[in-house]
């Protein structure tokens, strides 16, 4: 399409396009990564505070309010510095128990106090009514920004759990094992279960010690701009359902959308069901997309037919590549470091993945949805 202006043809600016092999995911805050990766070598809590004295709590959205004499940041660092012995493992379990209580108290205090903190009952009870058009939303680093560094906090909790359950001598060993299992299995818990069957690891306990123990209410705040964009999509009538599609367990997913103030805007949730240990599947495994299609109630004889009218936004290129391969209509990569939307050429010929920096960019890239 071109525009005629004073007998001059003006062509719309072409969106930048890159090869999928050229896409380089931006690393999270380098200073934060370096700090976490070297915490295990710090000999005392006092030295740790000196080492990181220039690390600004507010820059990372972690408050400086003291609880039992410690800020959130100090509590996290104390957790990492616990040595690996029987006494410390008991202390670790006690710390997690207290954090879970604080998290739950806060959640209960805000539930149902506004539309955005009221969970749509369809999410709780399921909503498999037949449909053909759905917008799928990832949660972590997608509905909330990766710049909150929640992923890095997750790594602290995951590695500490590795130390705890496997009785590892150091945080560094736990870190390397975590990275290995993530690359091999896509989820740390899958690696723990598959590689250590003798321990009979309880994935629900794992979730409690990791995702559920995160002090999310001190980091995630209601996002009115996000809510406005989601409401516009919902009111457009272009989709029969707006659906959450996450690799997290349901408790973490629900807590995130309540804290963001968008819990009433979704029609369902497909999550990684930690209770189904032997059938644990996650994105980008095709079986996870099949499970989602059944839970959504998508119409079609094949998975490709079911997904042909789906829009899917995620922060993981791997997950979106699978969406492209399975014939999704539009796959959208959200990367908060992006200042101008562009396209990635998918490996499947003729197909692309849109890259946006925020949900507000969707109004520009997909103006027909608003």
């Amino acid at each position: 399409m071109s525009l005629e202006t004073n007998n001059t043809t003006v062509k719309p600016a072409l969106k930048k396009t890159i090869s999928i092999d050229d896409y380089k995911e931006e690393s999270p805050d380098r200073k934060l990564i370096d700090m976490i990766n070297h915490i295990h070598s710090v000999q005392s809590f006092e030295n740790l505070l000196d080492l990181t004295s220039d690390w600004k709590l507010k820059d990372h959205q972690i408050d400086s309010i003291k609880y039992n004499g410690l800020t959130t940041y100090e509590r996290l660092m104390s957790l990492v510095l616990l040595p690996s012995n029987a006494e410390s493992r008991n202390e670790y379990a006690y710390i997690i128990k207290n954090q879970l209580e604080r998290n739950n108290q806060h959640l209960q205090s805000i539930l149902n106090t506004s539309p955005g903190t009221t969970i749509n009952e369809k999410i709780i009870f399921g909503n498999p009514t037949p449909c053909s058009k759905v917008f799928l939303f990832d949660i972590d680093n997608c509905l909330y920004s990766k710049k909150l560094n929640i992923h890095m906090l997750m790594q602290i909790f995951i590695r500490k759990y590795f130390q705890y359950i496997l009785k590892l001598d150091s945080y560094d060993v736990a870190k390397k094992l975590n990275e290995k299992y993530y690359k091999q299995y896509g989820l740390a818990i899958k690696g723990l279960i598959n590689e250590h069957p003798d321990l009979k690891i309880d994935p629900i306990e794992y979730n409690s010690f990791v995702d559920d123990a995160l002090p999310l209410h001190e980091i995630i705040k209601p996002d009115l701009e996000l809510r406005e964009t989601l409401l516009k999509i919902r009111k457009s009538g272009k989709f029969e359902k707006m659906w959450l599609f996450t690799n997290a367990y349901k408790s973490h997913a629900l807590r995130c959308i309540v804290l963001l103030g968008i819990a009433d805007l979704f029609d369902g949730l497909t999550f990684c069901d930690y209770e189904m240990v032997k059938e644990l599947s996650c994105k980008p495994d095709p079986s996870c997309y099949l499970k989602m299609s059944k839970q959504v109630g998508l119409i079609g004889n094949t998975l490709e037919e079911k997904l042909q009218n789906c829009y899917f936004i995620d922060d993981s290129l791997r997950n979106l590549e699978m969406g492209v391969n399975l014939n999704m209509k539009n796959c959208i990569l959200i990367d908060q470091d992006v200042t101008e939307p562009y396209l990635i050429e998918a490996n499947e010929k003729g197909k692309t993945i849109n890259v946006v920096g925020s949900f507000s960019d969707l109004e520009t890239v997909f103006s027909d949805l608003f």
Side-chain angles (χ1 to χ4, degrees):
M1 178 181 177
S2 62
L3 304 176
E4 297 288 340
T5 307
N6 296 328
N7 298 321
T8 302
T9 300
V10 180
K11 293 184 178 180
L14 293 176
K15 196 183 298 183
K16 182 179 78 171
T17 303
I18 67 170
S19 163
I20 199 165
D21 296 326
D22 292 332
Y23 176 76
K24 297 290 188 291
E25 186 174 3
E26 290 291 330
S27 173
D29 189 311
R30 191 71 248 167
K31 184 185 291 185
L32 183 58
I33 293 174
D34 290 342
M35 182 185 72
I36 291 174
N37 287 348
H38 290 88
I39 281 174
H40 65 275
S41 66
V42 179
Q43 298 303 308
S44 72
F45 187 52
E46 289 72 22
N47 288 343
L48 175 67
L49 292 179
D50 291 340
L51 180 69
T52 60
S53 60
D54 63 338
W55 189 66
K56 304 294 190 297
L57 299 179
K58 291 296 182 183
D59 289 348
H60 296 279
Q61 305 293 312
I62 299 179
D63 70 23
S64 56
I65 299 172
K66 289 185 178 291
Y67 179 87
N68 284 352
L70 296 176
T71 65
T72 302
Y73 165 71
E74 290 167 344
R75 291 201 308 272
L76 290 170
M77 297 306 102
S78 296
L79 187 68
V80 174
L81 289 171
L82 282 174
S84 184
N85 55 48
E87 183 179 348
S88 293
R89 282 194 289 274
N90 290 335
E91 185 179 350
Y92 163 65
Y94 178 74
I95 290 172
I96 294 296
K97 178 185 175 184
N98 285 343
Q99 186 64 54
L100 286 169
E101 289 176 357
R102 286 196 294 275
N103 293 350
N104 187 57
Q105 286 171 2
H106 180 271
L107 184 62
Q108 295 305 317
S109 73
I110 65 171
L111 266 177
N112 304 320
T113 57
S114 69
T117 60
T118 303
I119 301 169
N120 187 337
E121 63 179 18
K122 293 177 181 177
I123 294 180
I124 305 298
F125 300 108
N127 181 25
T129 54
C131 70
S132 60
K133 297 179 180 179
V134 64
F135 203 133
L136 302 166
F137 299 85
D138 179 43
I139 298 177
D140 293 307
N141 294 336
C142 181
L143 290 179
Y144 65 75
S145 174
K146 68 178 180 181
K147 294 184 178 181
L148 295 183
N149 282 312
I150 289 172
H151 175 73
M152 296 310 301
L153 299 183
M154 284 182 180
Q155 298 311 302
I156 292 177
F157 280 67
I158 290 172
R159 292 164 188 175
K160 202 62 198 180
Y161 185 78
F162 271 49
Q163 260 190 287
Y164 168 76
I165 201 70
L166 300 179
K167 299 181 180 179
L168 301 175
D169 291 334
S170 77
Y171 181 85
D172 191 41
V173 173
K175 168 184 172 291
K176 291 176 181 176
L177 204 56
N178 172 31
E179 291 171 349
K180 175 186 174 183
Y181 290 169
Y182 179 76
K183 289 178 182 177
Q184 189 171 347
Y185 295 99
L187 283 177
I189 183 59
K190 285 189 73 173
L192 281 174
I193 291 170
N194 291 339
E195 299 289 337
H196 307 276
D198 54 311
L199 295 179
K200 294 182 171 52
I201 292 169
D202 180 0
I204 300 300
E205 179 193 72
Y206 166 86
N207 180 69
S208 294
F209 274 67
V210 179
D211 286 1
D212 283 357
L214 292 168
L216 294 182
H217 60 281
E218 299 175 4
I219 308 170
I220 297 176
K221 305 301 179 186
D223 190 333
L224 298 180
E225 184 177 346
L226 171 64
R227 180 175 176 82
E228 183 179 350
T229 300
L230 294 174
L231 274 170
K232 287 179 180 178
I233 295 174
R234 192 169 184 84
K235 291 177 180 178
S236 72
K238 299 295 176 65
F239 298 96
E240 294 161 89
K241 295 179 184 179
M242 291 171 59
W243 200 272
L244 297 163
F245 188 25
T246 177
N247 277 349
Y249 188 54
K250 59 184 176 183
S251 55
H252 175 75
L254 295 177
R255 188 156 64 116
C256 285
I257 60 174
V258 168
L259 292 173
L260 284 165
I262 55 175
D264 58 325
L265 301 182
F266 300 96
D267 301 294
L269 164 66
T270 294
F271 58 92
C272 192
D273 193 349
Y274 289 173
E275 295 183 65
M276 306 292 289
V277 178
K278 293 183 179 179
E279 301 170 17
L280 198 62
S281 69
C282 61
K283 298 176 291 184
D285 190 320
S287 66
C288 188
Y289 294 72
L290 178 61
K291 178 178 75 172
M292 173 273 296
S293 71
K294 292 178 179 178
Q295 292 177 344
V296 173
L298 288 170
I299 300 168
N301 295 320
T302 65
L303 183 55
E304 287 75 12
E305 286 183 11
K306 293 174 187 287
L307 300 180
Q308 64 183 340
N309 291 313
C310 288
Y311 280 61
F312 177 29
I313 186 166
D314 200 307
D315 69 300
S316 166
L317 187 57
R318 288 197 310 163
N319 297 344
L320 295 166
E321 282 185 90
M322 181 56 67
V324 169
N325 294 340
L326 293 174
N327 198 37
M328 286 186 173
K329 184 172 183 177
N330 273 302
C331 289
I332 308 156
L333 179 70
I334 187 164
D335 180 348
Q336 289 86 9
D337 291 316
V338 169
T339 56
E340 186 175 345
Y342 64 93
L343 293 170
I344 294 176
E345 292 179 341
N347 285 326
E348 190 159 332
K349 190 175 180 181
K351 295 195 175 183
T352 57
I353 295 171
N354 282 275
V355 184
V356 298
S358 68
F359 270 82
S360 60
D361 285 342
L362 295 179
E363 294 194 47
T364 302
V365 178
F366 300 103
S367 57
D368 57 313
L369 299 182
F370 294 86

